[in-house]
Structures are given as structure tokens and as C-alpha cells.
Amino acid sequence: MATDTVDMQAEETNEATSTSISPEVMNALFETLSGANRRRRQEASHAIALAAAEDANLVRPYVDELIDALYRPEAQTRWEVLSALSDLALIDADLVEEGYDGAEASLFDEDSAIVRLAAFRFLIRLGASSPERSDKVWGIVDEAIQCYHGDPEYRDMLIAISEFSRGSISKATHDALMTRIGFDAQNGRGYVRIMSSEIVSAAKGA
């Protein structure tokens, strides 16, 4: 596909609403996502993430391509794809479960906090979808909480943790989460203590 055509389709998707994105544009974007050009992949992944945010059903037919793209070397492609998968997880967690391994790898990316945060959000949404999945993700989620505690992205991680606490999680995972977050609710400082306290209070009131 010609370069100008790819640019035009990405630009159209950036400006379009979910009701106006054509199948032809989506097909072209996913072809580019699987292509060899790094910059084009990044542009396509951004447009795909925007489309998924508008309507996750738009990317449902391309879940295999999304999961495959979790292994691209460039950070932007991975965080945009993780964002799209997170939106899709809200409507069909079964469909995106195979993205777990790729998300786990990105969760511990040494170079990109944005990739780590996007992976965390995806795993949180996947885990919040059922008690069984909450048990599956909890170990790695707990490890990430400890690894990135107090880092710049930790505030956004706490927002995701709050979402997780209200999800369909198992009692064992819920209790472990309350133990982990409860420590900061009692002993943390600043926003960590405030947000952790809010998570624990909301869980007690549920």
C-alpha cells in the first residue's frame, strides 16, 4: 500500500467517530500493524487504539493481530495495542485472554513506564472479569504493585487497582489485595495513603 494512502487512512481514523470508520480503513490499518515499517506500525496502532476507545467491537475481528503486535519492538505500538485490548476486555474478556503472556512481558519493560502502565491496566481488566482470572493475574499484579510502588505511574496504577477491587474477583484475591493496599492505607504517605484508604473503604462498604 502506498505511503500516502496509509497516512490518509490513519488521519481519517484519528478524526472519525466509531460510526464512520469503514471496514476498508480498519483492514488497511491492521495490515500496516503487521508490516515491517516501524513508524507506520506506530501510526496504525495509534489509530487502532482511538477506534477501540470509540467502539471496541471495531477491533474484535482483529484480536489475533492485536495479540501478535504485543511482541513488536517499539514501545508505542505495544502500549497502543494494550490500550485497545483493555477496551476489548471490557466487552469480551474470553477473546483477549491469550494476550496475557505478551502483557506480562510488557509489564516489566525496563525502558517505558507507559508500556508498563498499559500492560497493568490490561491485566487488571482481564482479571476483574471473573474470579478465576483474578486468581490468575493476582500474582503478577501484586509483583507490579511492589515493583512500581511510588513510581510516577503508580497513581494511575492505583486507579486501576480501584477498578479491580470492584470487579468480579475471588475472595482469596480480594483478601490479598486488601492486605497489600491496606498496609499503605495505614502507613503510606501523600496520595498513596489517600488513594489506598479510599480503595479499602470502598471495599468495606461494598
Side-chain angles (χ1 to χ4, degrees):
M1 179 174 293
T3 295
D4 290 346
T5 303
V6 174
D7 287 340
M8 184 179 300
Q9 288 168 331
E11 183 177 349
E12 288 173 356
T13 306
N14 288 345
E15 298 175 352
T17 65
S18 61
T19 57
S20 63
I21 300 172
S22 70
E24 291 76 17
V25 169
M26 292 302 296
N27 286 337
L29 289 171
F30 275 96
E31 286 178 9
T32 304
L33 185 67
S34 299
N37 187 294
R38 181 189 187 98
R39 185 172 69 85
R40 300 289 172 209
R41 289 197 302 262
Q42 291 175 188
E43 293 169 349
S45 68
H46 179 65
I48 288 165
L50 289 176
E54 288 282 350
D55 182 0
N57 284 302
L58 288 167
V59 302
R60 183 193 289 265
Y62 306 96
V63 66
D64 290 340
E65 289 88 341
L66 287 171
I67 292 171
D68 180 67
L70 291 176
Y71 299 96
R72 299 293 183 270
E74 65 276 7
Q76 182 178 351
T77 295
R78 285 182 282 125
W79 86 59
E80 302 279 19
V81 166
L82 283 161
S83 177
L85 287 169
S86 294
D87 289 324
L88 192 52
L90 290 176
I91 64 171
D92 194 342
D94 290 340
L95 197 62
V96 299
E97 190 164 8
E98 290 187 8
Y100 176 91
D101 289 340
E104 180 180 4
S106 287
L107 183 61
F108 298 102
D109 186 288
E110 295 181 356
D111 299 319
S112 176
I114 300 177
V115 168
R116 296 194 295 267
L117 179 59
F120 189 81
R121 285 172 170 159
F122 169 69
L123 290 165
I124 284 288
R125 287 189 173 174
L126 181 64
S129 64
S130 75
E132 294 76 18
R133 291 194 186 98
S134 73
D135 291 339
K136 178 178 180 178
V137 307
W138 169 247
I140 193 170
V141 165
D142 187 34
E143 184 178 353
I145 291 171
Q146 296 175 70
C147 284
Y148 306 126
H149 186 278
D151 284 3
E153 68 268 31
Y154 192 65
R155 182 188 296 270
D156 289 324
M157 290 175 68
L158 280 170
I159 295 172
I161 291 165
S162 179
E163 178 183 339
F164 186 61
S165 72
R166 299 190 301 271
S168 180
I169 63 177
S170 71
K171 184 180 185 304
T173 294
H174 178 272
D175 291 347
L177 175 63
M178 289 301 104
T179 298
R180 175 65 63 199
I181 299 302
F183 179 84
D184 280 338
Q186 294 291 326
N187 304 290
R189 296 181 179 181
Y191 80 84
V192 173
R193 181 169 186 167
I194 292 170
M195 295 179 72
S196 298
S197 298
E198 289 173 351
I199 293 169
V200 172
S201 296
K204 288 181 178 178

